[in-house]
Amino acid sequence: MHRRGVGAGAIAKKKLAEAKYKERGTVMAEDQLAQMSKQLEMFKTHLEEFASKHKQEIRKSSEFRVQFQDMCATIGVDPLASGKGFWSEMLGVGDFYYELGVQIIEVCLALKHRNGGLITLDELHQRVLKGRGKFAQDVSQDDLIRAIKKLKSLGNGFSIIPMGGGYLVQSVPAELNMDHTVVLQIAEKNGYVTVSEIKSSLKWDAERTKQVLEHLLKEGLAWIDKQAPEEPQYWLPALFSDLYSQDVTPEEADASLP
Amino acid sequence: MDRFVWASGLLEINETLVIQQRGVRLYDGDDKTKFDLGTVLLSTHRLLWRDHKKHDCCIALPLSQIIFFEEQAAGIGKSAKIVVHLQPVTPNKEPGPYQSSKYSYIKLSFKEHGQIEFYRRLSEELSQKRWERISVSQPMQSPSRSQAGKVKAVGIVGIERKLEEKRKETDKNISEAFEDLSQLMKKAKEMVDLSKLIANKIKDKQGDISEDETIRFKSYLLSMGIANPVTRETHGSGTHYHMQLAKQLMEMLQVPVEEQGGMMALTEVYCLTNRARGMELLSPEDLVNACKMFEALNLPMRLRIFDSGVMVVQLQSHSEDEMIASAVETVSEKGFVSSEEYAKLVGISVLLAKERLLLAEKVGHLCRDDSVESLRFYPNLFLTQD
């Protein structure tokens, strides 16, 4: 049923009104962009001032960095999103974390042949500090965690797994579900775990236990010791402490194997 | 540990709790004590420790007994600790858990972390010394330095004073910095709010905002580190910056990627690029966003994401079919290969070797044999024979 008053003229008028509205709308957005541009310049000045007074603080104090990051997160800003961001350019936060990212990748790559791509945050921390040398800025575990979170964008399976006493860092895209994680937690105590231990503390059946342990073996995260006195022991190199481990290069390892 | 006295765990009137932290173990000097897992509490007047399970097991020590303290960094399998050096025991001290100790320091081991904040608060309390000004309902043990202890204490007092001055100076700088930081964040918040307004406008008027303006807006967001709320995929999250970057990367990466067989994992690209730059490094997101622009800029490289989530850059000259064919050929020659073996044969990383074999498997040219010993790939005889 046609409504009265609707004709070519009315349609044309409506179109004109719409066009004018859009135009005004565009102008409004442009205005706001111009405003944002101005405010951005002002903000940049404030940031420069802040940087001139406190840039050192960020470099030296890991606590300050934590505060800084938390505040940014609260207001919805990611200071590490881009090296081209103001935060990175003026405060130098970017370079600090991006370089840390490189060091983390290198440590993980170097040890992958041994621990399958799984390492405790403590060990990662130690090795990164060693690699940085005596005169480099101090790096806290919080710094590492933030750098790792950024590395996730590179798609190579970086993730952080909470464990009883700390964290595990995974640097390969192996799938680890809750079952695997809980077995890792049991293994934390001695660096290894046995089938009976799993069965008694988790009350799992043989099939489930077998699946989980086999997966860890396949992914290279666990090694099996079939010569252990009572039953095979599944060792996790990622959890080895100073007591058990010794640094061996891949070449040395290959040479010593039959 | 002989400086501690048994306590009820209740705070006195005018004594205020400053901070507490769970998961702390106490050490007498270097020796572990039976005070294995508890909560350490810092008040304006005392340092207390209470057992997690047995709440009536609580010990305390006056802050005035602390000479100075320091951090002991965490190690592999060892938690971070705070080492607290104490004055000699006072003769008329109330009964406590230890009659005597050969050490003049204790350690707090933070098994559930929290040492940073605790350290900071302890510094504050020890520099402010509120216990001297605020008297509590029950008289606190104010240690009077015995004659014997005095000689030893003199040298320590000098160190103590210097450390305190340094702490005060640092604290002052930090508080000023925090103050300035809060102000800065307020202004940053204004920027975030404004960008949300604009983003909503753009969303409402899909197609009416010019390309130029969109790009301008995106670059503003990039500068501030604000996530792009508008998901228009004309350039991905591309800005002029990313386009420039893409071209730079192309130049830098062409040779290394070719040498690696036409493909390189993004983590490797990240390290390569940033090591080469030295400063003004790229963020991981910068790298990914730049790689996403290869196609739009008609550059002979592509960002590729495998099913496993692994991301690589791949040279266009690199035909997929060729890769698969050569993989199948190699596997057929050898009978079977594992990812590690294939990696060595071809001279690429194990990660990429695995992806290549998986690709060949996906199109049906290879079969897998998955055992605990290894994952092996065989030519798919179901396909070729019958």
Side-chain angles (χ1 to χ4, degrees):
Chain A
M1 204 51 178
H2 280 293
R3 279 174 58 213
R4 285 219 186 155
V6 176
I11 295 176
K13 224 191 273 177
K14 190 163 166 229
K15 274 209 175 129
L16 190 62
E18 271 177 3
K20 275 220 173 106
Y21 175 70
K22 277 185 187 157
E23 203 186 279
R24 211 177 295 135
T26 313
V27 166
M28 282 209 296
E30 229 185 71
D31 272 348
Q32 281 189 313
L33 274 183
Q35 184 193 358
M36 185 163 188
S37 169
K38 247 194 289 184
Q39 269 190 260
L40 217 60
E41 283 307 312
M42 272 187 5
F43 181 79
K44 206 169 157 189
T45 317
H46 287 305
L47 189 54
E48 273 170 349
E49 219 185 287
F50 181 84
S52 66
K53 288 206 296 190
H54 303 296
K55 196 169 175 177
Q56 288 307 316
E57 212 59 60
I58 295 214
R59 263 210 264 276
K60 286 197 293 192
S61 165
S62 54
E63 291 163 40
F64 194 70
R65 282 197 292 276
V66 171
Q67 270 296 328
F68 171 73
Q69 294 275 19
D70 283 347
M71 281 182 162
C72 285
T74 309
I75 64 173
V77 158
D78 180 4
L80 299 181
S82 170
K84 200 76 166 84
F86 286 162
W87 309 98
S88 185
E89 287 186 333
M90 280 179 246
L91 290 180
V93 258
D95 279 6
F96 175 80
Y97 285 99
Y98 306 147
E99 191 186 355
L100 196 51
V102 172
Q103 292 164 343
I104 292 171
I105 293 174
E106 290 178 344
V107 167
C108 289
L109 229 53
L111 294 174
K112 196 159 77 160
H113 70 282
R114 197 179 74 168
N115 58 29
L118 198 65
I119 186 174
T120 58
L121 187 61
D122 281 341
E123 190 182 346
L124 180 62
H125 191 197
Q126 288 260 304
R127 288 181 185 268
V128 165
L129 284 176
K130 212 165 35 157
R132 285 167 74 90
K134 270 196 297 189
F135 300 108
Q137 299 151 245
D138 192 25
V139 156
S140 71
Q141 288 199 355
D142 183 85
D143 292 328
L144 288 175
I145 291 178
R146 288 186 202 271
I148 291 171
K149 285 200 177 131
K150 282 286 131 196
L151 290 178
K152 282 189 187 189
S153 331
L154 296 177
N156 249 65
F158 269 95
S159 59
I160 300 179
I161 304 169
M163 293 269 282
Y167 296 93
L168 278 180
V169 174
Q170 187 183 343
S171 57
V172 286
E175 272 191 42
L176 288 184
N177 59 30
M178 293 285 291
D179 276 3
H180 303 125
T181 316
V182 79
V183 165
L184 287 173
Q185 287 174 350
I186 298 181
E188 217 188 339
K189 204 166 25 134
N190 296 322
Y192 70 88
V193 75
T194 58
V195 172
S196 355
E197 232 183 300
I198 295 178
K199 280 176 155 172
S200 71
S201 35
L202 297 174
K203 311 277 183 275
W204 286 357
D205 59 36
E207 185 57 36
R208 188 174 177 184
T209 311
K210 176 164 163 255
Q211 272 198 15
V212 170
L213 290 172
E214 275 188 10
H215 182 82
L216 292 176
L217 279 176
K218 271 194 214 166
E219 295 293 341
L221 300 175
W223 298 349
I224 185 171
D225 176 9
K226 291 189 177 152
Q227 293 177 344
E230 285 149 11
E231 57 173 308
Q233 293 171 343
Y234 293 78
W235 288 80
L236 287 121
L239 304 174
F240 283 1
S241 65
D242 273 330
L243 205 60
Y244 291 130
S245 72
Q246 199 192 16
D247 267 328
V248 172
T249 65
E251 290 74 27
E252 289 171 7
D254 284 340
S256 62
L257 289 172
Chain B
M1 276 300 292
D2 56 344
R3 276 67 155 179
F4 274 98
V5 302
W6 290 115
S8 63
L10 298 170
L11 294 177
E12 316 294 353
I13 299 178
N14 290 332
E15 181 186 12
T16 327
L17 181 65
V18 172
I19 186 175
Q20 64 184 30
Q21 178 59 48
R22 287 177 49 89
V24 176
R25 165 194 269 155
L26 296 182
Y27 283 68
D28 177 27
D30 290 319
D31 303 336
K32 287 185 189 173
T33 65
K34 61 177 177 164
F35 300 102
D36 202 0
L37 202 61
T39 302
V40 69
L41 303 101
L42 173 67
S43 79
T44 44
H45 293 67
R46 297 179 290 168
L47 184 68
L48 302 102
W49 184 94
R50 180 172 57 221
D51 190 294
H52 272 178
K53 300 208 187 98
K54 297 175 276 161
H55 279 230
D56 49 352
C57 172
C58 182
I59 53 179
L61 131 66
L63 292 183
S64 50
Q65 286 239 278
I66 298 179
I67 301 179
F68 77 98
F69 62 99
E70 54 193 343
E71 281 178 82
Q72 189 178 319
I76 300 181
K78 300 189 181 114
S79 316
K81 299 179 179 55
I82 295 181
V83 184
V84 185
H85 295 261
L86 303 165
Q87 287 185 17
V89 105
T90 57
N92 54 340
K93 174 178 98 45
E94 303 253 341
Y98 280 55
Q99 291 291 45
S100 64
S101 164
K102 58 181 176 169
Y103 297 100
S104 64
Y105 60 97
I106 58 159
K107 292 191 196 179
L108 310 174
S109 174
F110 289 77
K111 302 166 83 69
E112 290 178 28
H113 307 278
Q115 66 275 8
I116 297 180
E117 191 57 26
F118 199 93
Y119 184 100
R120 190 170 81 79
R121 295 310 194 94
L122 191 53
S123 307
E124 253 172 52
E125 289 309 312
L126 286 181
S127 69
Q128 287 179 15
K129 286 192 175 33
R130 290 194 266 180
W131 68 84
E132 283 179 358
R133 288 177 278 125
I134 307 171
S135 58
V136 291
S137 61
Q138 271 191 31
M140 294 301 300
Q141 299 288 346
S142 40
S144 46
R145 295 178 187 183
S146 62
Q147 278 302 106
K150 199 168 190 174
V151 179
K152 202 177 8 159
V154 166
I156 297 180
V157 165
I159 299 174
E160 171 193 7
R161 204 177 300 143
K162 262 207 217 121
L163 280 173
E164 243 189 59
E165 274 173 22
K166 184 165 152 217
R167 249 196 313 273
K168 272 205 190 112
E169 186 62 41
T170 318
D171 276 352
K172 190 167 72 98
N173 288 341
I174 290 192
S175 7
E176 196 191 315
F178 280 133
E179 198 31 65
D180 289 345
L181 185 62
S182 309
Q183 289 306 316
L184 188 71
M185 287 298 164
K186 279 204 197 109
K187 303 203 174 77
K189 180 88 173 64
E190 286 169 21
M191 300 299 306
V192 175
D193 292 338
L194 181 57
S195 73
K196 283 198 187 130
L197 268 174
I198 299 181
N200 282 331
K201 281 226 153 44
I202 293 182
K203 235 193 310 195
D204 288 339
K205 291 156 21 10
Q206 296 271 14
D208 277 277
I209 236 222
S210 74
E211 291 291 312
D212 249 359
E213 283 168 345
T214 312
I215 294 184
R216 249 172 80 199
F217 183 53
K218 280 180 184 166
S219 74
Y220 295 161
L221 294 179
L222 191 74
S223 304
M224 282 300 299
I226 301 171
N228 190 340
V230 184
T231 47
R232 292 184 65 188
E233 292 294 89
T234 31
H235 299 292
S237 342
T239 62
H240 287 303
Y241 171 61
H242 292 124
M243 289 195 247
Q244 260 186 332
L245 206 48
K247 295 189 194 139
Q248 284 177 16
L249 284 173
M250 186 64 228
E251 263 188 57
M252 212 205 75
L253 293 174
Q254 183 134 28
V255 172
V257 174
E258 247 184 71
E259 286 177 355
Q260 279 244 348
M263 209 189 263
M264 193 187 280
L266 218 56
T267 37
E268 223 181 304
V269 174
Y270 178 76
C271 290
L272 208 66
T273 321
N274 276 340
R275 281 268 178 238
R277 285 169 82 102
M279 39 183 276
E280 289 190 8
L281 305 179
L282 300 181
S283 77
E285 276 151 90
D286 285 336
L287 184 59
V288 173
N289 287 332
C291 290
K292 284 188 181 159
M293 307 226 65
F294 285 146
E295 185 157 3
L297 293 171
N298 276 323
L299 295 168
M301 203 140 68
R302 290 289 181 274
L303 175 68
R304 187 191 180 141
I305 307 178
F306 287 110
D307 293 338
S308 61
V310 170
M311 289 168 104
V312 299
V313 291
Q314 184 179 334
L315 280 176
Q316 276 302 83
S317 58
H318 210 87
S319 128
E320 182 128 309
D321 294 330
E322 271 178 35
M323 258 203 328
I324 294 178
S326 97
V328 175
E329 210 186 300
T330 313
V331 173
S332 309
E333 279 174 26
K334 294 277 164 183
F336 62 83
V337 289
S338 69
S339 311
E340 290 81 19
E341 291 163 4
Y342 186 61
K344 262 207 205 123
L345 282 171
V346 184
I348 60 179
S349 72
V350 176
L351 195 70
L352 292 185
K354 189 167 179 187
E355 291 300 338
R356 217 179 266 195
L357 293 169
L358 286 174
L359 255 177
E361 182 196 35
K362 197 166 169 186
V363 295
H365 291 303
L366 290 180
C367 273
R368 70 165 62 191
D369 172 21
D370 206 353
S371 71
V372 175
E373 283 182 13
S374 67
L375 172 60
R376 290 185 186 154
F377 290 88
Y378 290 76
N380 185 359
L381 299 176
F382 294 110
L383 203 66
T384 54
Q385 297 179 358
D386 60 89

